[in-house]
Amino acid sequence: MVNLLVLTLKVVLLLAAVWSVYSAELITVEGYEGGKAEIRCPYREQLRSHQKYLCKGDCPVFNKNKVIKTEAGENSTSKGRYSLKDIREESVFIVTITKLMINDSGKYWCGVTNLLADDYTEVNLTVSRDTSVVIIVSGTLVMLLLVLVVSLLIVYRWKFNKETEHVLINVLPSLIMSSCPSPPFPPLQGCHGDGDYEEIKDRPLQSSSGSEITTIYSTANLPTRPLFHLMFP
């Protein structure tokens, strides 16, 4: 007799589970990684005061994986990344999942407790990566790289201009004006110092007509310092 009762109970529970699954409609929800998803679960009006929950996976008759549920008399609750709000006047409860992850994808069930068998609505949640975020991050990195390259070119050009200006103002005039070696090198003949010239001699000449022609002679010292002495005095 006991075995018959147990068998009958198993058959009733099995039929109730099968009836619940086959009577459920499918809800499709999509979301992006890091974002949130809202699952709207409708139910029958006569079940407004019953317990509501969201079950993940196959949701068997026993050992249901209820990620969130309301207690008796509650119309809202929260648990971690999950929150549930029962809008009884509309006969619908909304489950919100925040900070979505890729492994949140899969099958869920909106469940409402009932006397013999719970009412279920099947939910298929798909979580994908937001490619727009990747594009924005990549574009930002490219822009930063371009700014860095342009900044380096500007600094290099400024440094080059400063070095060129230094050569034109300081080094080149020294190369042009210097004519004598610096100590300890001995001075060359006729060299009296930078920028010195030999004495100008005035010697009158006699032309064929008998008039005097004054000719002025000048001896200038050309630069005689070796180039490496000028570069490294």
Side-chain angles (χ1 to χ4, degrees):
M1 185 65 178
V2 174
N3 292 335
L4 182 60
L5 288 175
V6 172
L7 181 60
T8 303
L9 180 60
K10 288 183 178 180
V11 171
V12 170
L13 291 176
L14 180 61
L15 290 175
V18 172
W19 177 84
S20 299
V21 172
Y22 279 102
S23 65
E25 60 179 297
L26 177 63
I27 298 174
T28 302
V29 180
E30 296 180 354
Y32 291 102
E33 185 179 19
K36 70 176 182 178
E38 288 188 351
I39 304 173
R40 296 181 62 89
C41 304
Y43 56 84
R44 292 181 292 162
E45 292 183 5
Q46 56 268 33
L47 300 177
R48 287 180 176 177
S49 60
H50 291 221
Q51 185 189 55
K52 318 300 189 305
Y53 61 88
L54 182 70
C55 182
K56 184 176 182 179
D58 293 332
C59 202
V61 177
F62 302 102
N63 299 323
K64 291 180 174 64
N65 182 18
K66 297 179 181 180
V67 294
I68 190 170
K69 64 180 181 178
T70 59
E71 301 297 338
E74 288 183 341
N75 58 2
S76 65
T77 185
S78 61
K79 179 183 177 182
R81 298 185 297 120
Y82 301 89
S83 62
L84 188 154
K85 183 177 182 181
D86 186 8
I87 307 176
R88 296 181 178 180
E89 57 272 18
E90 299 180 13
S91 299
V92 62
F93 69 92
I94 301 174
V95 177
T96 302
I97 307 175
T98 60
K99 299 179 182 179
L100 287 172
M101 298 181 290
I102 297 298
N103 57 9
D104 287 330
S105 299
K107 183 166 60 175
Y108 293 79
W109 297 91
C110 298
V112 182
T113 57
N114 205 353
L115 183 59
L116 290 178
D118 294 352
D119 280 15
Y120 294 103
T121 303
E122 185 178 0
V123 178
N124 185 28
L125 174 62
T126 302
V127 180
S128 57
R129 289 185 171 86
D130 191 354
T131 55
S132 62
V133 175
V134 177
I135 294 174
I136 292 174
V137 171
S138 300
T140 303
L141 291 176
V142 171
M143 289 299 296
L144 290 176
L145 181 61
L146 288 176
V147 170
L148 178 62
V149 172
V150 172
S151 301
L152 290 176
L153 288 176
I154 293 174
V155 171
Y156 173 79
R157 185 62 182 269
W158 176 81
K159 186 176 181 181
F160 176 79
N161 290 339
K162 293 294 289 184
E163 291 178 352
T164 304
E165 182 180 358
H166 173 73
V167 171
L168 293 176
I169 295 177
N170 299 313
V171 179
L172 188 59
S174 299
L175 292 176
I176 295 174
M177 299 301 296
S178 298
S179 60
C180 295
S182 300
F185 301 100
L188 299 177
Q189 184 178 3
C191 181
H192 302 288
D194 292 347
D196 290 344
Y197 297 91
E198 290 291 340
E199 180 183 357
I200 297 175
K201 298 179 180 180
D202 185 359
R203 185 179 62 184
L205 295 177
Q206 198 76 19
S207 66
S208 58
S209 61
S211 59
E212 290 186 356
I213 299 176
T214 302
T215 303
I216 299 175
Y217 295 91
S218 174
T219 303
N221 293 322
L222 296 177
T224 56
R225 180 181 298 183
L227 181 59
F228 69 92
H229 292 158
L230 297 175
M231 297 299 294
F232 306 97

